[in-house]
Short mmCIF file of all heavy atoms in Angstrom, two decimals:
data_model
loop_
_atom_site.label_atom_id
_atom_site.label_comp_id
_atom_site.label_asym_id
_atom_site.label_seq_id
_atom_site.Cartn_x
_atom_site.Cartn_y
_atom_site.Cartn_z
N MET A 46 -38.53 -6.77 39.21
CA MET A 46 -37.82 -5.94 38.24
C MET A 46 -36.42 -6.50 37.96
O MET A 46 -35.78 -7.00 38.87
CB MET A 46 -37.72 -4.50 38.73
CG MET A 46 -37.61 -3.57 37.57
SD MET A 46 -36.88 -1.97 37.87
CE MET A 46 -37.56 -1.25 39.27
N ALA A 47 -36.02 -6.40 36.74
CA ALA A 47 -34.71 -6.91 36.35
C ALA A 47 -33.62 -6.05 36.98
O ALA A 47 -33.80 -4.85 37.21
CB ALA A 47 -34.55 -6.89 34.84
N LYS A 48 -32.52 -6.68 37.27
CA LYS A 48 -31.40 -5.96 37.82
C LYS A 48 -30.19 -6.25 36.98
O LYS A 48 -29.98 -7.36 36.55
CB LYS A 48 -31.12 -6.42 39.26
CG LYS A 48 -31.93 -5.70 40.28
CD LYS A 48 -31.42 -6.08 41.64
CE LYS A 48 -32.17 -5.34 42.74
NZ LYS A 48 -31.73 -5.85 44.02
N PHE A 49 -29.40 -5.20 36.78
CA PHE A 49 -28.18 -5.35 36.01
C PHE A 49 -27.00 -5.08 36.91
O PHE A 49 -27.00 -4.08 37.64
CB PHE A 49 -28.21 -4.38 34.81
CG PHE A 49 -29.34 -4.62 33.87
CD1 PHE A 49 -30.55 -3.97 34.04
CD2 PHE A 49 -29.23 -5.58 32.89
CE1 PHE A 49 -31.65 -4.24 33.21
CE2 PHE A 49 -30.29 -5.89 32.04
CZ PHE A 49 -31.52 -5.21 32.21
N TYR A 50 -26.04 -5.99 36.89
CA TYR A 50 -24.93 -5.90 37.83
C TYR A 50 -23.63 -5.51 37.14
O TYR A 50 -23.37 -5.88 35.98
CB TYR A 50 -24.70 -7.26 38.48
CG TYR A 50 -25.84 -7.70 39.37
CD1 TYR A 50 -26.88 -8.48 38.86
CD2 TYR A 50 -25.86 -7.34 40.70
CE1 TYR A 50 -27.92 -8.87 39.68
CE2 TYR A 50 -26.92 -7.73 41.53
CZ TYR A 50 -27.95 -8.50 41.02
OH TYR A 50 -28.98 -8.89 41.82
N CYS A 51 -22.79 -4.81 37.90
CA CYS A 51 -21.44 -4.52 37.41
C CYS A 51 -20.57 -5.73 37.74
O CYS A 51 -20.55 -6.20 38.88
CB CYS A 51 -20.90 -3.27 38.09
SG CYS A 51 -19.16 -2.98 37.78
N GLN A 52 -19.83 -6.22 36.75
CA GLN A 52 -18.98 -7.39 37.00
C GLN A 52 -17.72 -7.06 37.81
O GLN A 52 -17.01 -7.96 38.26
CB GLN A 52 -18.59 -8.08 35.68
CG GLN A 52 -17.73 -7.23 34.79
CD GLN A 52 -17.38 -7.94 33.53
OE1 GLN A 52 -17.50 -9.15 33.42
NE2 GLN A 52 -16.93 -7.20 32.50
N CYS A 53 -17.43 -5.78 37.94
CA CYS A 53 -16.23 -5.39 38.68
C CYS A 53 -16.48 -5.11 40.17
O CYS A 53 -15.59 -5.29 40.98
CB CYS A 53 -15.61 -4.15 38.07
SG CYS A 53 -15.26 -4.34 36.32
N CYS A 54 -17.69 -4.68 40.47
CA CYS A 54 -17.93 -4.31 41.88
C CYS A 54 -19.26 -4.83 42.41
O CYS A 54 -19.50 -4.76 43.63
CB CYS A 54 -17.84 -2.81 42.08
SG CYS A 54 -19.20 -1.91 41.29
N GLY A 55 -20.16 -5.31 41.57
CA GLY A 55 -21.42 -5.85 42.03
C GLY A 55 -22.55 -4.85 42.25
O GLY A 55 -23.62 -5.19 42.69
N THR A 56 -22.28 -3.56 41.94
CA THR A 56 -23.34 -2.55 42.01
C THR A 56 -24.48 -2.93 41.09
O THR A 56 -24.23 -3.45 40.00
CB THR A 56 -22.77 -1.17 41.58
OG1 THR A 56 -21.81 -0.75 42.52
CG2 THR A 56 -23.84 -0.13 41.42
N ASP A 57 -25.73 -2.75 41.53
CA ASP A 57 -26.82 -3.06 40.63
C ASP A 57 -27.71 -1.87 40.35
O ASP A 57 -27.85 -0.97 41.17
CB ASP A 57 -27.68 -4.23 41.18
CG ASP A 57 -28.32 -3.91 42.52
OD1 ASP A 57 -29.35 -3.20 42.54
OD2 ASP A 57 -27.81 -4.42 43.55
N ARG A 58 -28.23 -1.85 39.14
CA ARG A 58 -29.11 -0.80 38.67
C ARG A 58 -30.25 -1.43 37.91
O ARG A 58 -30.15 -2.55 37.48
CB ARG A 58 -28.37 0.18 37.74
CG ARG A 58 -27.30 1.01 38.40
CD ARG A 58 -27.86 2.19 39.19
NE ARG A 58 -26.82 3.05 39.72
CZ ARG A 58 -26.17 2.84 40.86
NH1 ARG A 58 -26.46 1.78 41.59
NH2 ARG A 58 -25.25 3.67 41.29
N SER A 59 -31.33 -0.67 37.75
CA SER A 59 -32.50 -1.23 37.02
C SER A 59 -32.37 -1.12 35.53
O SER A 59 -33.19 -1.69 34.80
CB SER A 59 -33.78 -0.53 37.52
OG SER A 59 -33.67 0.84 37.31
N SER A 60 -31.37 -0.40 35.03
CA SER A 60 -31.17 -0.38 33.60
C SER A 60 -29.67 -0.39 33.28
O SER A 60 -28.85 0.04 34.10
CB SER A 60 -31.83 0.87 32.96
OG SER A 60 -31.06 2.02 33.27
N VAL A 61 -29.35 -0.90 32.09
CA VAL A 61 -27.94 -0.96 31.66
C VAL A 61 -27.37 0.45 31.52
O VAL A 61 -26.25 0.73 31.93
CB VAL A 61 -27.82 -1.70 30.31
CG1 VAL A 61 -26.39 -1.67 29.79
CG2 VAL A 61 -28.25 -3.18 30.46
N SER A 62 -28.22 1.39 30.99
CA SER A 62 -27.69 2.72 30.79
C SER A 62 -27.35 3.42 32.08
O SER A 62 -26.35 4.14 32.16
CB SER A 62 -28.66 3.54 29.93
OG SER A 62 -29.91 3.61 30.56
N SER A 63 -28.16 3.22 33.11
CA SER A 63 -27.80 3.88 34.37
C SER A 63 -26.58 3.22 35.02
O SER A 63 -25.79 3.89 35.69
CB SER A 63 -28.98 3.96 35.33
OG SER A 63 -29.33 2.71 35.81
N LEU A 64 -26.43 1.94 34.79
CA LEU A 64 -25.24 1.24 35.34
C LEU A 64 -23.97 1.74 34.66
O LEU A 64 -23.01 2.11 35.32
CB LEU A 64 -25.39 -0.27 35.12
CG LEU A 64 -24.27 -1.12 35.71
CD1 LEU A 64 -24.36 -1.15 37.23
CD2 LEU A 64 -24.32 -2.56 35.19
N THR A 65 -23.98 1.76 33.34
CA THR A 65 -22.76 2.10 32.60
C THR A 65 -22.50 3.59 32.53
O THR A 65 -21.48 4.00 31.96
CB THR A 65 -22.79 1.50 31.17
OG1 THR A 65 -23.98 1.96 30.54
CG2 THR A 65 -22.82 0.00 31.23
N SER A 66 -23.37 4.42 33.12
CA SER A 66 -23.08 5.84 33.11
C SER A 66 -22.62 6.32 34.48
O SER A 66 -22.32 7.49 34.67
CB SER A 66 -24.30 6.66 32.67
OG SER A 66 -25.36 6.45 33.56
N SER A 67 -22.52 5.41 35.46
CA SER A 67 -21.95 5.82 36.71
C SER A 67 -20.57 5.23 36.90
O SER A 67 -20.28 4.14 36.39
CB SER A 67 -22.88 5.50 37.91
OG SER A 67 -23.46 4.26 37.75
N SER A 68 -19.70 5.94 37.58
CA SER A 68 -18.32 5.51 37.66
C SER A 68 -18.09 4.39 38.66
O SER A 68 -18.78 4.28 39.64
CB SER A 68 -17.39 6.70 37.94
OG SER A 68 -17.73 7.26 39.19
N CYS A 69 -17.10 3.56 38.32
CA CYS A 69 -16.80 2.37 39.10
C CYS A 69 -15.37 2.51 39.65
O CYS A 69 -14.46 2.86 38.94
CB CYS A 69 -16.85 1.14 38.17
SG CYS A 69 -16.49 -0.40 38.99
N SER A 70 -15.22 2.22 40.91
CA SER A 70 -13.89 2.34 41.53
C SER A 70 -13.06 1.10 41.32
O SER A 70 -11.86 1.11 41.58
CB SER A 70 -14.04 2.62 43.03
OG SER A 70 -14.80 1.61 43.60
N LYS A 71 -13.67 0.03 40.81
CA LYS A 71 -12.93 -1.23 40.69
C LYS A 71 -12.67 -1.73 39.28
O LYS A 71 -12.15 -2.81 39.11
CB LYS A 71 -13.62 -2.32 41.49
CG LYS A 71 -13.54 -2.11 42.95
CD LYS A 71 -14.10 -3.28 43.70
CE LYS A 71 -14.05 -3.03 45.20
NZ LYS A 71 -14.88 -4.02 45.89
N ASN A 72 -13.14 -0.98 38.30
CA ASN A 72 -12.96 -1.44 36.91
C ASN A 72 -11.52 -1.14 36.48
O ASN A 72 -11.14 0.01 36.39
CB ASN A 72 -13.96 -0.72 36.00
CG ASN A 72 -13.91 -1.24 34.58
OD1 ASN A 72 -12.99 -1.97 34.24
ND2 ASN A 72 -14.89 -0.85 33.78
N PRO A 73 -10.71 -2.19 36.21
CA PRO A 73 -9.32 -1.95 35.82
C PRO A 73 -9.18 -1.43 34.40
O PRO A 73 -8.13 -0.94 34.03
CB PRO A 73 -8.65 -3.31 35.98
CG PRO A 73 -9.77 -4.31 35.81
CD PRO A 73 -11.03 -3.62 36.28
N ASN A 74 -10.27 -1.56 33.59
CA ASN A 74 -10.16 -1.19 32.19
C ASN A 74 -10.86 0.09 31.81
O ASN A 74 -10.87 0.50 30.65
CB ASN A 74 -10.75 -2.33 31.32
CG ASN A 74 -10.11 -3.67 31.62
OD1 ASN A 74 -8.91 -3.78 31.64
ND2 ASN A 74 -10.91 -4.67 31.89
N GLY A 75 -11.49 0.73 32.73
CA GLY A 75 -12.20 1.95 32.41
C GLY A 75 -12.75 2.59 33.65
O GLY A 75 -12.58 2.06 34.75
N LYS A 76 -13.43 3.73 33.50
CA LYS A 76 -13.89 4.37 34.74
C LYS A 76 -15.34 4.09 35.09
O LYS A 76 -15.79 4.42 36.17
CB LYS A 76 -13.58 5.87 34.72
CG LYS A 76 -14.24 6.68 33.67
CD LYS A 76 -13.77 8.18 33.71
CE LYS A 76 -14.52 9.01 34.71
NZ LYS A 76 -14.89 10.34 34.25
N TYR A 77 -16.10 3.44 34.21
CA TYR A 77 -17.51 3.19 34.48
C TYR A 77 -17.77 1.73 34.82
O TYR A 77 -16.95 0.87 34.51
CB TYR A 77 -18.35 3.63 33.30
CG TYR A 77 -18.24 5.09 33.02
CD1 TYR A 77 -17.45 5.54 31.96
CD2 TYR A 77 -18.88 6.03 33.82
CE1 TYR A 77 -17.30 6.91 31.73
CE2 TYR A 77 -18.73 7.38 33.59
CZ TYR A 77 -17.94 7.81 32.54
OH TYR A 77 -17.77 9.15 32.32
N HIS A 78 -18.95 1.49 35.42
CA HIS A 78 -19.33 0.12 35.72
C HIS A 78 -19.39 -0.68 34.41
O HIS A 78 -19.76 -0.15 33.34
CB HIS A 78 -20.71 0.07 36.36
CG HIS A 78 -20.75 0.68 37.73
ND1 HIS A 78 -19.95 0.20 38.78
CD2 HIS A 78 -21.48 1.68 38.24
CE1 HIS A 78 -20.21 0.91 39.85
NE2 HIS A 78 -21.13 1.83 39.58
N SER A 79 -19.04 -1.95 34.48
CA SER A 79 -19.01 -2.82 33.34
C SER A 79 -20.08 -3.91 33.52
O SER A 79 -20.08 -4.58 34.54
CB SER A 79 -17.60 -3.40 33.25
OG SER A 79 -17.55 -4.42 32.28
N LEU A 80 -20.96 -4.06 32.56
CA LEU A 80 -22.10 -4.97 32.70
C LEU A 80 -21.69 -6.44 32.84
O LEU A 80 -20.90 -6.95 32.04
CB LEU A 80 -23.03 -4.81 31.49
CG LEU A 80 -24.24 -5.74 31.46
CD1 LEU A 80 -25.22 -5.39 32.58
CD2 LEU A 80 -24.92 -5.64 30.11
N TYR A 81 -22.26 -7.07 33.86
CA TYR A 81 -22.10 -8.54 34.00
C TYR A 81 -23.14 -9.18 33.12
O TYR A 81 -24.32 -8.97 33.29
CB TYR A 81 -22.33 -8.94 35.47
CG TYR A 81 -22.46 -10.42 35.68
CD1 TYR A 81 -21.37 -11.25 35.50
CD2 TYR A 81 -23.68 -10.97 36.02
CE1 TYR A 81 -21.50 -12.63 35.68
CE2 TYR A 81 -23.82 -12.35 36.21
CZ TYR A 81 -22.72 -13.16 36.03
OH TYR A 81 -22.83 -14.51 36.20
N GLU A 82 -22.67 -9.93 32.11
CA GLU A 82 -23.60 -10.46 31.13
C GLU A 82 -24.06 -11.88 31.39
O GLU A 82 -24.78 -12.47 30.59
CB GLU A 82 -22.97 -10.36 29.72
CG GLU A 82 -22.78 -8.90 29.30
CD GLU A 82 -22.08 -8.74 27.97
OE1 GLU A 82 -20.83 -8.71 27.98
OE2 GLU A 82 -22.75 -8.68 26.95
N GLY A 83 -23.62 -12.46 32.47
CA GLY A 83 -24.08 -13.81 32.82
C GLY A 83 -25.45 -13.77 33.45
O GLY A 83 -26.04 -12.70 33.67
N SER A 84 -25.95 -14.93 33.82
CA SER A 84 -27.27 -14.98 34.42
C SER A 84 -27.17 -14.82 35.94
O SER A 84 -26.10 -14.97 36.53
CB SER A 84 -27.94 -16.33 34.09
OG SER A 84 -27.06 -17.37 34.47
N GLU A 85 -28.31 -14.51 36.56
CA GLU A 85 -28.32 -14.39 38.01
C GLU A 85 -28.19 -15.80 38.62
O GLU A 85 -28.85 -16.75 38.16
CB GLU A 85 -29.62 -13.74 38.48
CG GLU A 85 -29.34 -12.50 39.30
CD GLU A 85 -30.61 -11.78 39.69
OE1 GLU A 85 -31.33 -11.31 38.82
OE2 GLU A 85 -30.86 -11.72 40.92
N LYS A 86 -27.36 -15.95 39.61
CA LYS A 86 -27.08 -17.25 40.20
C LYS A 86 -27.16 -17.19 41.71
O LYS A 86 -27.12 -16.11 42.28
CB LYS A 86 -25.65 -17.69 39.81
CG LYS A 86 -25.45 -17.86 38.30
CD LYS A 86 -23.96 -18.07 38.05
CE LYS A 86 -23.71 -18.07 36.53
NZ LYS A 86 -22.31 -17.98 36.22
N SER A 87 -27.20 -18.36 42.31
CA SER A 87 -27.18 -18.38 43.78
C SER A 87 -25.74 -18.33 44.29
O SER A 87 -25.49 -18.03 45.43
CB SER A 87 -27.88 -19.62 44.30
OG SER A 87 -27.28 -20.78 43.74
N LYS A 88 -24.83 -18.61 43.38
CA LYS A 88 -23.42 -18.63 43.73
C LYS A 88 -22.62 -18.09 42.55
O LYS A 88 -22.83 -18.49 41.41
CB LYS A 88 -23.00 -20.06 44.01
CG LYS A 88 -22.11 -20.20 45.20
CD LYS A 88 -22.06 -21.64 45.68
CE LYS A 88 -21.28 -22.55 44.79
NZ LYS A 88 -20.98 -23.85 45.41
N TYR A 89 -21.69 -17.18 42.82
CA TYR A 89 -20.84 -16.63 41.76
C TYR A 89 -19.44 -17.09 41.97
O TYR A 89 -18.89 -17.05 43.06
CB TYR A 89 -20.92 -15.10 41.78
CG TYR A 89 -22.30 -14.60 41.48
CD1 TYR A 89 -23.21 -14.35 42.48
CD2 TYR A 89 -22.71 -14.40 40.14
CE1 TYR A 89 -24.50 -13.94 42.21
CE2 TYR A 89 -23.99 -13.98 39.85
CZ TYR A 89 -24.89 -13.75 40.87
OH TYR A 89 -26.15 -13.35 40.60
N THR A 90 -18.82 -17.57 40.88
CA THR A 90 -17.48 -18.15 40.95
C THR A 90 -16.48 -17.27 40.20
O THR A 90 -16.76 -16.81 39.09
CB THR A 90 -17.52 -19.55 40.32
OG1 THR A 90 -18.54 -20.31 40.96
CG2 THR A 90 -16.19 -20.26 40.48
N CYS A 91 -15.33 -17.07 40.80
CA CYS A 91 -14.26 -16.29 40.12
C CYS A 91 -13.71 -17.08 38.97
O CYS A 91 -13.36 -18.25 39.13
CB CYS A 91 -13.15 -15.96 41.12
SG CYS A 91 -11.72 -15.17 40.34
N LYS A 92 -13.62 -16.45 37.80
CA LYS A 92 -13.14 -17.17 36.64
C LYS A 92 -11.66 -17.42 36.65
O LYS A 92 -11.15 -18.21 35.89
CB LYS A 92 -13.56 -16.45 35.35
CG LYS A 92 -12.93 -15.11 35.11
CD LYS A 92 -13.41 -14.61 33.74
CE LYS A 92 -12.98 -13.19 33.48
NZ LYS A 92 -13.52 -12.68 32.19
N TYR A 93 -10.93 -16.75 37.51
CA TYR A 93 -9.47 -16.98 37.57
C TYR A 93 -9.03 -17.99 38.61
O TYR A 93 -8.08 -18.74 38.39
CB TYR A 93 -8.75 -15.63 37.82
CG TYR A 93 -8.93 -14.67 36.68
CD1 TYR A 93 -9.68 -13.51 36.86
CD2 TYR A 93 -8.39 -14.92 35.42
CE1 TYR A 93 -9.87 -12.63 35.82
CE2 TYR A 93 -8.60 -14.04 34.40
CZ TYR A 93 -9.31 -12.91 34.59
OH TYR A 93 -9.52 -12.04 33.57
N CYS A 94 -9.72 -18.00 39.74
CA CYS A 94 -9.23 -18.90 40.81
C CYS A 94 -10.28 -19.87 41.34
O CYS A 94 -9.98 -20.74 42.11
CB CYS A 94 -8.66 -18.05 41.95
SG CYS A 94 -9.92 -17.20 42.88
N GLY A 95 -11.58 -19.67 40.98
CA GLY A 95 -12.59 -20.60 41.39
C GLY A 95 -13.22 -20.34 42.76
O GLY A 95 -14.08 -21.10 43.21
N THR A 96 -12.83 -19.24 43.39
CA THR A 96 -13.44 -18.87 44.67
C THR A 96 -14.94 -18.60 44.42
O THR A 96 -15.28 -17.99 43.42
CB THR A 96 -12.78 -17.59 45.23
OG1 THR A 96 -11.45 -17.89 45.56
CG2 THR A 96 -13.49 -17.05 46.46
N ASP A 97 -15.81 -19.04 45.30
CA ASP A 97 -17.22 -18.65 45.11
C ASP A 97 -17.81 -17.95 46.31
O ASP A 97 -17.43 -18.16 47.46
CB ASP A 97 -18.08 -19.83 44.62
CG ASP A 97 -17.92 -21.09 45.44
OD1 ASP A 97 -17.96 -20.99 46.66
OD2 ASP A 97 -17.77 -22.16 44.84
N ARG A 98 -18.75 -17.05 45.95
CA ARG A 98 -19.46 -16.25 46.99
C ARG A 98 -20.92 -16.15 46.57
O ARG A 98 -21.26 -16.42 45.43
CB ARG A 98 -18.89 -14.83 47.03
CG ARG A 98 -17.46 -14.69 47.51
CD ARG A 98 -17.38 -14.77 49.01
NE ARG A 98 -16.00 -14.54 49.49
CZ ARG A 98 -15.06 -15.46 49.57
NH1 ARG A 98 -15.34 -16.71 49.17
NH2 ARG A 98 -13.87 -15.17 50.01
N SER A 99 -21.76 -15.76 47.52
CA SER A 99 -23.19 -15.71 47.25
C SER A 99 -23.63 -14.47 46.47
O SER A 99 -24.75 -14.39 45.98
CB SER A 99 -23.97 -15.82 48.55
OG SER A 99 -23.61 -14.76 49.39
N SER A 100 -22.77 -13.47 46.35
CA SER A 100 -23.14 -12.29 45.57
C SER A 100 -21.91 -11.74 44.82
O SER A 100 -20.75 -12.01 45.22
CB SER A 100 -23.68 -11.19 46.48
OG SER A 100 -22.65 -10.66 47.27
N ILE A 101 -22.19 -11.01 43.75
CA ILE A 101 -21.10 -10.45 42.97
C ILE A 101 -20.34 -9.43 43.82
O ILE A 101 -19.12 -9.36 43.80
CB ILE A 101 -21.62 -9.76 41.68
CG1 ILE A 101 -22.31 -10.79 40.79
CG2 ILE A 101 -20.48 -9.08 40.92
CD1 ILE A 101 -22.88 -10.19 39.52
N SER A 102 -21.08 -8.68 44.63
CA SER A 102 -20.40 -7.65 45.43
C SER A 102 -19.44 -8.26 46.47
O SER A 102 -18.35 -7.72 46.67
CB SER A 102 -21.39 -6.71 46.11
OG SER A 102 -22.30 -7.45 46.89
N SER A 103 -19.83 -9.39 47.06
CA SER A 103 -18.87 -9.97 48.02
C SER A 103 -17.71 -10.63 47.30
O SER A 103 -16.60 -10.62 47.78
CB SER A 103 -19.55 -10.91 49.00
OG SER A 103 -20.05 -12.05 48.35
N LEU A 104 -17.98 -11.19 46.11
CA LEU A 104 -16.88 -11.80 45.33
C LEU A 104 -15.88 -10.75 44.91
O LEU A 104 -14.66 -10.92 45.07
CB LEU A 104 -17.43 -12.52 44.11
CG LEU A 104 -16.44 -13.33 43.29
CD1 LEU A 104 -15.92 -14.56 44.05
CD2 LEU A 104 -17.04 -13.79 41.97
N THR A 105 -16.36 -9.64 44.38
CA THR A 105 -15.48 -8.60 43.87
C THR A 105 -14.87 -7.72 44.94
O THR A 105 -14.08 -6.84 44.64
CB THR A 105 -16.21 -7.73 42.84
OG1 THR A 105 -17.38 -7.20 43.44
CG2 THR A 105 -16.60 -8.53 41.62
N SER A 106 -15.28 -7.91 46.18
CA SER A 106 -14.65 -7.09 47.23
C SER A 106 -13.48 -7.81 47.90
O SER A 106 -12.79 -7.21 48.71
CB SER A 106 -15.68 -6.69 48.30
OG SER A 106 -16.19 -7.81 48.93
N SER A 107 -13.22 -9.06 47.48
CA SER A 107 -12.03 -9.69 48.04
C SER A 107 -10.99 -9.81 46.94
O SER A 107 -11.31 -10.00 45.76
CB SER A 107 -12.33 -11.04 48.71
OG SER A 107 -13.39 -11.67 48.15
N SER A 108 -9.73 -9.72 47.32
CA SER A 108 -8.68 -9.70 46.30
C SER A 108 -8.35 -11.09 45.80
O SER A 108 -8.44 -12.07 46.54
CB SER A 108 -7.44 -8.98 46.80
OG SER A 108 -6.96 -9.61 47.96
N CYS A 109 -7.96 -11.14 44.52
CA CYS A 109 -7.66 -12.40 43.85
C CYS A 109 -6.17 -12.44 43.51
O CYS A 109 -5.64 -11.51 42.93
CB CYS A 109 -8.48 -12.45 42.54
SG CYS A 109 -8.23 -13.97 41.59
N SER A 110 -5.52 -13.54 43.83
CA SER A 110 -4.10 -13.64 43.56
C SER A 110 -3.82 -14.09 42.12
O SER A 110 -2.70 -14.05 41.66
CB SER A 110 -3.44 -14.60 44.54
OG SER A 110 -4.09 -15.86 44.48
N LYS A 111 -4.87 -14.50 41.42
CA LYS A 111 -4.65 -15.04 40.07
C LYS A 111 -5.21 -14.18 38.93
O LYS A 111 -5.16 -14.58 37.77
CB LYS A 111 -5.26 -16.45 39.97
CG LYS A 111 -4.55 -17.41 40.88
CD LYS A 111 -4.89 -18.84 40.58
CE LYS A 111 -4.10 -19.77 41.50
NZ LYS A 111 -4.77 -21.04 41.69
N ASN A 112 -5.80 -13.05 39.28
CA ASN A 112 -6.33 -12.17 38.22
C ASN A 112 -5.19 -11.41 37.57
O ASN A 112 -4.54 -10.62 38.25
CB ASN A 112 -7.35 -11.22 38.88
CG ASN A 112 -7.99 -10.31 37.85
OD1 ASN A 112 -7.54 -10.20 36.73
ND2 ASN A 112 -9.04 -9.63 38.27
N PRO A 113 -4.94 -11.63 36.28
CA PRO A 113 -3.82 -10.96 35.61
C PRO A 113 -4.08 -9.49 35.29
O PRO A 113 -3.15 -8.72 35.04
CB PRO A 113 -3.64 -11.75 34.32
CG PRO A 113 -4.99 -12.33 34.04
CD PRO A 113 -5.68 -12.52 35.37
N ASN A 114 -5.38 -9.08 35.33
CA ASN A 114 -5.71 -7.73 34.91
C ASN A 114 -6.09 -6.76 36.04
O ASN A 114 -6.19 -5.57 35.84
CB ASN A 114 -6.90 -7.75 33.94
CG ASN A 114 -6.69 -8.74 32.83
OD1 ASN A 114 -5.69 -8.71 32.15
ND2 ASN A 114 -7.66 -9.64 32.61
N GLY A 115 -6.34 -7.31 37.20
CA GLY A 115 -6.78 -6.44 38.28
C GLY A 115 -6.55 -7.14 39.60
O GLY A 115 -6.03 -8.25 39.61
N LYS A 116 -7.00 -6.52 40.67
CA LYS A 116 -6.69 -7.18 41.95
C LYS A 116 -7.83 -7.91 42.59
O LYS A 116 -7.64 -8.63 43.60
CB LYS A 116 -6.01 -6.20 42.93
CG LYS A 116 -6.81 -4.96 43.24
CD LYS A 116 -6.01 -3.98 44.13
CE LYS A 116 -6.00 -4.37 45.59
NZ LYS A 116 -5.95 -3.23 46.48
N TYR A 117 -9.04 -7.87 42.04
CA TYR A 117 -10.19 -8.51 42.66
C TYR A 117 -10.67 -9.71 41.88
O TYR A 117 -10.40 -9.81 40.67
CB TYR A 117 -11.33 -7.49 42.86
CG TYR A 117 -10.93 -6.32 43.72
CD1 TYR A 117 -10.59 -5.12 43.15
CD2 TYR A 117 -10.85 -6.47 45.11
CE1 TYR A 117 -10.20 -4.03 43.93
CE2 TYR A 117 -10.45 -5.39 45.89
CZ TYR A 117 -10.12 -4.19 45.31
OH TYR A 117 -9.71 -3.13 46.10
N HIS A 118 -11.48 -10.57 42.54
CA HIS A 118 -12.09 -11.68 41.85
C HIS A 118 -13.02 -11.16 40.74
O HIS A 118 -13.62 -10.09 40.89
CB HIS A 118 -12.91 -12.55 42.80
CG HIS A 118 -12.11 -13.20 43.86
ND1 HIS A 118 -11.10 -14.09 43.60
CD2 HIS A 118 -12.19 -13.14 45.22
CE1 HIS A 118 -10.60 -14.52 44.75
NE2 HIS A 118 -11.25 -13.96 45.76
N VAL A 119 -13.16 -11.91 39.68
CA VAL A 119 -14.05 -11.55 38.58
C VAL A 119 -15.05 -12.70 38.35
O VAL A 119 -14.63 -13.84 38.18
CB VAL A 119 -13.24 -11.34 37.25
CG1 VAL A 119 -14.17 -11.00 36.08
CG2 VAL A 119 -12.22 -10.24 37.43
N PRO A 120 -16.34 -12.42 38.41
CA PRO A 120 -17.33 -13.51 38.26
C PRO A 120 -17.29 -14.10 36.87
O PRO A 120 -17.24 -13.39 35.87
CB PRO A 120 -18.67 -12.80 38.54
CG PRO A 120 -18.46 -11.36 38.28
CD PRO A 120 -17.01 -11.10 38.58
N ALA A 121 -17.35 -15.46 36.79
CA ALA A 121 -17.48 -16.14 35.51
C ALA A 121 -18.92 -15.95 35.02
O ALA A 121 -19.82 -15.76 35.81
CB ALA A 121 -17.19 -17.61 35.68
N MET A 122 -19.14 -16.02 33.69
CA MET A 122 -20.48 -15.82 33.14
C MET A 122 -21.38 -16.96 33.55
O MET A 122 -21.02 -18.11 33.59
CB MET A 122 -20.43 -15.79 31.61
CG MET A 122 -19.70 -14.60 31.08
SD MET A 122 -20.58 -13.06 31.47
CE MET A 122 -19.21 -11.92 31.58
ZN1 LIG B 361 -18.61 -1.32 39.16
ZN1 LIG B 362 -10.22 -15.03 41.98
#
């Protein structure tokens, strides 16, 4: 089954609507999860600093010193 991930925290849901209707504690721009529109990868890289992790949730749970909009790493598409 397809999984849709939040780019801010790595939460996954089976549909976009269920993802974007639940609230996100890490989205700096709004209160709901924000869809990660890139493809599923074995490694996710932060678009601001290049740090990589094996999952979106582990990437977004560590803080980024180069993100101008928020405090956590943000996966590149
Ligand atoms: Zn989220
Ligand atoms: Zn980063």
Side-chain angles (χ1 to χ4, degrees):
M46 205 201 314
K48 273 188 178 174
F49 298 93
Y50 295 91
C51 171
Q52 64 179 345
C53 305
C54 70
T56 293
D57 61 79
R58 293 282 185 274
S59 57
S60 73
V61 175
S62 58
S63 69
L64 184 71
T65 55
S66 63
S67 40
S68 61
C69 181
S70 56
K71 290 187 182 166
N72 186 348
N74 306 310
K76 64 184 276 222
Y77 299 102
H78 293 301
S79 170
L80 178 66
Y81 168 70
E82 294 176 273
S84 53
E85 238 177 297
K86 296 171 187 167
S87 56
K88 222 163 72 167
Y89 296 91
T90 306
C91 173
K92 66 177 174 184
Y93 296 112
C94 71
T96 294
D97 49 48
R98 293 281 184 276
S99 59
S100 70
I101 298 178
S102 57
S103 67
L104 187 68
T105 56
S106 63
S107 30
S108 58
C109 181
S110 55
K111 295 194 178 154
N112 182 347
N114 310 308
K116 59 185 279 213
Y117 301 101
H118 296 300
V119 178
M122 294 295 150

